[in-house]
Amino acid sequence: MASHAHAATTGHADGHDAHEHHHYTTTGLDHRKIAIWAFIGSECMLFASLISTYLIYKGKSLVGPFPHTEYVNEAGKVFKPILDIPVTSASTFVLLMSSLAMVLALQAVQLKGTPLAAGAGWWQRAERSSQLWLGMTALLGATFLGFQAYEFTSFVHEGLTIKTNLFGSTFFTLTGFHGAHVTVGVLWLMMLLWIDRTRGLGPKDELIVDICALYWHFVDVVWIAIFTLIYLIQ
Amino acid sequence: MATIAQPSHATHVGASAEQTGIWSWITTVDHKRIGTLYLWTALFFFLVGGLEAVMIRTQLMRPNMGFVSADTYNQLFTMHGTTMVFLAVMPLSAAFFNYLIPLQIGARDVAFPRLNAFSYWVYLFGGIFITLPILFQVAPDGGWFGYAPLTSNQFAPGPNIDFWVIGLQILGVSSLAAAFNFITTIINMRAPGMSLMRMPMFTWMSFVVQFLLILAFPPITVALFFLLMDRFFGTTFYAIAAGADPLLWQHLFWVFGHPEVYILILPAFGLVSEVLPTFSKKPLFGYNVMVYSGIMIGFLGFGVWAHHMFAVGMGPVADSIFSLMTMLIAVPTGVKIFNWIATMWAGEVRFTVPMKFAIALIGMFTIGGISGVMHSSPPADLQQTDTYFIVAHFHYVLFGGSIMGIFAGIYFYYPKMTGRFMNDGLGNLHFWLNFIGMNLTFFPMHFSGLYGMPRRIYQYDSGQGWDLFNMMSTYGTYLLVVATAVFVWNFIRSRSTGAIAGNDPWGAATLEWSIPSPPPEYNFAQIPEVTSRYPLWDLKDPKKTAGIDHSHADAMTITDAHAVPVHEETERHTAKELGIPMPFSTAKPLFTAFGMCTMFSGLLFLRNDMFAVAMTVTLTGAAMLIGGLISWFTAPLE
């Protein structure tokens, strides 16, 4: 951006193309890049508060179902440990792969316009397709959300709702907050995909893909913390 | 903001300083106008909060008064605290952030002008939302701290707390959006040569505050969300019967609540750090240490929250740690006090009105700070907690600190904002009435507190040694009413009758004084290249800054080839004449803010099981929010 540092006093009183117009900035970075980092910092505190509450209430529920242990109610009904770790491991894998797709999407946008070497294989061609990777990221994100919808409904069928006990309240709220973040990310990716399809994203659009990628990776990292603390550690 | 779609090549209609009328204010994205809106709105809420205080004090004037009912009294003290913290002092600071940060760092606006307008409108709607219920006697009544489970359905079944929970959630969005904006502005929009260690102290303290905001608001957002879920959807976060921890709310609230204290005071510290050097004709003593102590206060501010909870029985280890941390945080605060005194030491002190308020801050805040150190000790705190001693303490730091600092800022920057001075005689009258009134109100509370008078009681019996002190406090409050009336009269009158002020009426040192008063819409016709902390003194009075180490530009500072050395700008042109692109005026931030507040307020209808109405209102609001955002993001900024 710095190389485009714009004359502070020379002007363009008429309309102009925002993409060719860059304001002088102190760091040389775009404002949005700094803002997204500040936003992510703030989000860390949000999830830290949610996760802390979950951990404080861990094992404090008076009635089941419980996450890792069996529960027998007064009527003698048996509730199995409710967390399905194999299924969630699969959804975790899907979400992690979406981050890989996101990296490739950013790379594809950056590579747009650079000529392919002669005899380039299918992979080199695939690497150039930002639409493929943006779509792939969104699809993997949506798949993760599908897993979560399945998980939530099966828990409700097994007798755990958000009202049942402290575990239900904290679990659904924490994972629900994360799911809402994934949903926002999927919508964001679909918007980028739509822009890519209508006018094409190229190296000059690197930034808008980059800030989406930062958000997406952050949401992914939060899930790693949640998966470890809530599913894996008993 | 992001201009994702191709911008249309529309005719340029950016707001100009010459534009007037309601519509130009509704659509403004100019940081100075938004700052002015913040200032007027926050002053209005300051009067509302003050009126609530007057009613509280009238009720407590004599033993067993019947001026208001117990229920109304609960609403009054809750709304007094909530209003003063969230609707008066924070937005008054925001008024200065908006107005001054771009001027002090040599920028033409904030990083995201439309987001800035959005922050203001969300604040306004949130403020109205949380304040209106008091007219219908259904105002929040659970204290400004809203302790759950006392605010859960079981103990607070009415709609009162609903307004509080939803209102604070809305106000949080405003603060967070503004904080992201100012962080980006300060990091990325400094004029060439304006390294971090050359920034004016107000900008520095504001910078620290923005980090406190983005890190402290998420915990209260989560705490409020839990409460909201408990109240509307039957979750069990604060349900003791389901095994919930009665201290969960207190921890989450005070993790926010203590940094909030520094959010309220640091901007005032910044303002007096501008006023004191100007009227002492000396550079700020120990600039670097002032910066580091500000950062230190912000950092330690996150480690002292449980000193609000000594009485709940956390055990000796937790009590000791939080006690130690609290005593520690007094050190950087004390450093600031001494540096201000050293700034005045051997200076050519001019006792102007802003200077008097600034000096009053040093004295009054120190009293509040010392009583604060007293109850950092758990054994002492157990005697003092929930008594008027605590009320005395935090009013000395908030009124004696924040409000005094903000008044200093208003008198100091009024000429910059309006081009005219505030009346000096009335200003002096205001200062003395305010100073005496404040001490008459709050000093006796130390005694009523130590004699055992609890907070938040609406009546008390005679014969406990409290009568005289309460009478004094109430008369002090009435004196403050007179003082505030003088201020309001002065503030409004001086806009048309005040003596004309030039660029630099006080002989100050920083960039905002190099441009005309009030500043033109584009602020700086030419972006200045900064080479020191006191550019105007270097220019006009080099003797004053001789021998001062101005610090070197940091690695992040790059040079813009088009910047010019700092100089005084006296000519006034329009942005169009100078060819400076200005952001378009737009009502989209207002529309989006309104949509968001509508979305939140739909929840209210769940209280009466009006599910269909709630869904309609919420979805309408959400549609407005999303529609507003899309149209906002796809429209070009300038």
Side-chain angles (χ1 to χ4, degrees):
Chain A
M1 296 296 145
S3 57
H4 298 283
H6 193 272
T9 52
T10 58
H12 24 195
D14 300 317
H16 52 270
D17 190 327
H19 294 286
E20 290 163 8
H21 168 74
H22 294 290
H23 284 284
Y24 162 81
T25 67
T26 311
T27 58
L29 296 169
D30 189 279
H31 294 332
R32 285 167 280 178
K33 186 97 177 223
I34 291 170
I36 192 81
W37 276 111
F39 176 72
I40 287 173
S42 185
E43 291 270 276
C44 285
M45 285 299 282
L46 184 90
F47 280 105
S49 305
L50 289 164
I51 292 172
S52 305
T53 304
Y54 179 88
L55 294 177
I56 288 166
Y57 278 171
K58 198 170 175 181
K60 296 273 177 67
S61 296
L62 300 182
V63 293
F66 298 130
H68 301 291
T69 48
E70 203 171 76
Y71 168 68
V72 186
N73 73 2
E74 287 161 350
K77 192 177 174 204
V78 179
F79 295 88
K80 290 203 183 86
I82 205 159
L83 294 182
D84 191 341
I85 292 168
V87 169
T88 315
S89 302
S91 75
T92 304
F93 180 75
V94 167
L95 194 64
L96 288 180
M97 287 305 107
S98 78
S99 259
L100 178 64
M102 186 76 239
V103 171
L104 291 168
L106 181 60
Q107 184 192 249
V109 169
Q110 289 163 334
L111 285 177
K112 198 77 68 74
T114 41
L116 273 171
W122 65 271
W123 175 250
Q124 275 82 6
R125 276 196 298 280
E127 267 189 324
R128 305 299 170 103
S129 174
S130 53
Q131 288 184 26
L132 170 68
W133 298 114
L134 284 171
M136 182 76 84
T137 315
L139 186 69
L140 289 168
T143 310
F144 175 84
L145 289 172
F147 270 108
Q148 195 171 43
Y150 163 77
E151 185 189 36
F152 279 19
T153 39
S154 70
F155 283 9
V156 170
H157 283 305
E158 288 172 48
L160 181 77
T161 70
I162 199 165
K163 301 177 184 182
T164 308
N165 54 16
L166 293 176
F167 168 64
S169 294
T170 48
F171 173 82
F172 282 113
T173 305
L174 169 57
T175 52
F177 253 94
H178 181 266
H181 277 76
V182 176
T183 309
V184 169
V186 170
L187 292 174
W188 193 346
L189 285 161
M190 282 162 62
M191 208 166 79
L192 288 177
L193 185 59
W194 176 71
I195 295 167
D196 202 3
R197 287 182 66 87
T198 46
R199 70 164 171 81
L201 290 170
K204 67 180 167 32
D205 305 299
E206 184 190 343
L207 180 87
I208 61 171
V209 182
D210 195 12
I211 54 175
C212 178
L214 280 171
Y215 173 83
W216 189 260
H217 297 316
F218 167 74
V219 172
D220 215 356
V221 168
V222 169
W223 182 255
I224 293 171
I226 293 176
F227 183 62
T228 311
L229 291 169
I230 285 147
Y231 290 85
L232 294 183
I233 298 177
Q234 305 216 344
Chain B
M1 288 304 296
T3 46
I4 286 163
Q6 291 283 4
S8 64
H9 291 250
T11 339
H12 201 131
V13 286
S16 87
E18 280 68 48
Q19 274 186 324
T20 49
I22 292 275
W23 187 247
S24 75
W25 286 93
I26 284 175
T27 59
T28 188
V29 293
D30 180 338
H31 72 99
K32 298 178 290 300
R33 287 185 152 219
I34 292 169
T36 308
L37 288 170
Y38 262 110
L39 184 61
W40 280 92
T41 315
L43 282 175
F44 170 76
F45 281 118
F46 179 67
L47 298 183
V48 172
L51 197 63
E52 286 155 358
V54 169
M55 292 170 78
I56 292 171
R57 280 317 318 168
T58 304
Q59 168 69 15
L60 294 176
M61 181 157 61
R62 292 195 186 86
N64 295 314
M65 285 275 284
F67 179 64
V68 292
S69 68
D71 187 40
T72 308
Y73 186 83
N74 288 346
Q75 298 183 19
L76 285 173
F77 79 67
T78 301
M79 285 314 294
H80 170 68
T82 305
T83 305
M84 286 306 193
V85 170
F86 294 104
L87 306 179
V89 176
M90 279 176 76
L92 278 168
S93 303
F96 287 108
F97 299 156
N98 268 286
Y99 209 99
L100 292 180
I101 289 174
L103 298 183
Q104 288 201 325
I105 63 174
R108 291 208 167 114
D109 208 320
V110 293
F112 307 109
R114 292 179 294 191
L115 184 67
N116 201 23
F118 174 78
S119 296
Y120 169 73
W121 295 112
V122 171
Y123 154 59
L124 178 68
F125 295 138
I128 293 171
F129 181 88
I130 208 167
T131 302
L132 267 190
I134 202 160
L135 300 178
F136 308 97
Q137 296 265 311
V138 287
D141 53 1
W144 88 278
F145 40 81
Y147 278 0
L150 285 177
T151 42
S152 60
N153 277 335
Q154 191 187 351
F155 303 106
N160 309 48
I161 300 295
D162 297 344
F163 285 106
W164 188 78
V165 174
I166 300 167
L168 285 198
Q169 209 68 300
I170 293 172
L171 291 168
V173 173
S174 164
S175 296
L176 284 169
F180 298 133
N181 207 344
F182 289 122
I183 286 178
T184 310
T185 305
I186 295 174
I187 291 179
N188 221 20
M189 293 183 77
R190 282 169 287 137
M194 174 70 80
S195 62
L196 287 172
M197 291 308 270
R198 282 179 189 158
M199 292 199 305
M201 195 52 62
F202 173 75
T203 298
W204 247 116
M205 292 303 108
S206 308
F207 195 40
V208 174
V209 167
Q210 309 312 321
F211 282 99
L212 292 179
L213 284 166
I214 65 166
L215 299 176
F217 263 77
I220 196 183
T221 303
V222 167
L224 288 166
F225 186 79
F226 290 164
L227 185 57
L228 197 146
M229 293 295 285
D230 268 14
R231 291 183 64 84
F232 292 111
F233 302 106
T235 53
T236 60
F237 290 104
Y238 304 117
I240 307 302
D245 187 337
L247 294 185
L248 176 70
W249 171 275
Q250 293 198 27
H251 279 293
L252 287 172
F253 182 82
W254 289 116
V255 166
F256 150 78
H258 204 84
E260 172 71 16
V261 171
Y262 299 106
I263 291 169
L264 297 171
I265 192 65
L266 285 178
F269 281 2
L271 287 169
V272 300
S273 300
E274 302 297 327
V275 172
L276 289 165
T278 303
F279 296 116
S280 307
K281 290 200 175 182
K282 268 180 67 192
L284 188 67
F285 184 86
Y287 174 98
N288 298 31
V289 178
M290 287 298 248
V291 170
Y292 301 144
S293 60
I295 295 171
M296 196 70 176
I297 290 172
F299 187 75
L300 292 176
F302 280 96
V304 298
W305 79 87
H307 70 210
H308 296 266
M309 301 164 59
F310 284 148
V312 304
M314 295 178 296
V317 176
D319 279 4
S320 309
I321 291 170
F322 283 104
S323 171
L324 206 69
M325 289 293 280
T326 308
M327 291 176 187
L328 201 61
I329 206 168
V331 174
T333 318
V335 164
K336 283 193 175 295
I337 303 279
F338 284 114
N339 277 4
W340 287 323
I341 295 171
T343 302
M344 292 187 287
W345 189 263
E348 294 171 46
V349 177
R350 282 178 288 161
F351 288 101
T352 58
V353 177
M355 185 64 167
K356 283 176 182 154
F357 276 103
I359 296 171
L361 176 142
I362 302 178
M364 298 301 101
F365 183 86
T366 304
I367 295 177
I370 288 172
S371 59
V373 176
M374 286 169 74
H375 39 248
S376 70
S377 162
D381 183 72
L382 289 178
Q383 300 300 315
Q384 295 157 358
T385 191
D386 264 337
T387 70
Y388 265 84
F389 190 84
I390 302 287
V391 182
H393 156 70
F394 68 71
H395 280 95
Y396 264 88
V397 289
L398 285 180
F399 198 114
S402 303
I403 296 291
M404 289 288 186
I406 285 165
F407 276 134
I410 290 176
Y411 281 97
F412 190 57
Y413 283 107
Y414 193 92
K416 181 49 64 188
M417 293 174 177
T418 63
R420 287 174 187 274
F421 285 97
M422 282 177 86
N423 183 291
D424 212 40
L426 289 174
N428 276 302
L429 182 64
H430 170 222
F431 171 74
W432 286 110
L433 288 174
N434 196 63
F435 184 78
I436 297 166
M438 185 222 135
N439 282 289
L440 188 57
T441 306
F442 300 116
F443 204 76
M445 288 182 185
H446 289 112
F447 297 97
S448 48
L450 289 178
Y451 279 115
M453 181 169 170
R455 295 168 69 179
R456 308 178 198 110
I457 51 165
Y458 89 112
Q459 279 182 334
Y460 55 94
D461 287 330
S462 188
Q464 303 180 84
W466 306 343
D467 302 10
L468 174 67
F469 299 121
N470 275 291
M471 183 67 89
M472 288 165 77
S473 291
T474 302
Y475 279 116
T477 310
Y478 295 158
L479 204 57
L480 286 174
V481 173
V482 179
T484 309
V486 172
F487 166 75
V488 171
W489 171 253
N490 195 359
F491 187 84
I492 294 172
R493 279 273 300 163
S494 299
R495 282 163 59 238
S496 48
T497 61
I500 302 286
N503 280 14
D504 180 18
W506 309 114
T510 42
L511 287 183
E512 70 269 31
W513 306 102
S514 70
I515 53 173
S517 311
E521 53 177 327
Y522 48 81
N523 297 351
F524 298 89
Q526 292 175 301
I527 296 297
E529 171 145 18
V530 183
T531 51
S532 91
R533 282 176 196 154
Y534 308 99
L536 286 200
W537 284 353
D538 286 348
L539 189 70
K540 296 181 192 172
D541 192 0
K543 273 203 307 288
K544 214 179 290 183
T545 52
I548 302 284
D549 174 20
H550 283 314
S551 89
H552 304 288
D554 60 38
M556 279 164 82
T557 312
I558 56 169
T559 309
D560 183 359
H562 300 273
V564 298
V566 175
H567 59 288
E568 279 215 73
E569 292 182 359
T570 44
E571 304 215 355
R572 204 175 257 284
H573 299 282
T574 64
K576 203 164 187 173
E577 283 164 9
L578 295 169
I580 299 169
M582 298 304 292
F584 292 120
S585 296
T586 170
K588 283 168 190 166
L590 183 152
F591 180 82
T592 311
F594 187 75
M596 196 195 78
C597 296
T598 310
M599 183 179 85
F600 274 111
S601 58
L603 281 169
L604 284 176
F605 296 97
L606 287 177
R607 170 85 18 217
N608 304 323
D609 287 328
M610 294 158 78
F611 189 73
V613 182
M615 284 309 280
T616 313
V617 175
T618 301
L619 291 178
T620 310
M624 288 168 74
L625 171 66
I626 293 166
L629 280 177
I630 289 174
S631 118
W632 167 353
F633 278 100
T634 50
L637 172 64
E638 57 191 35

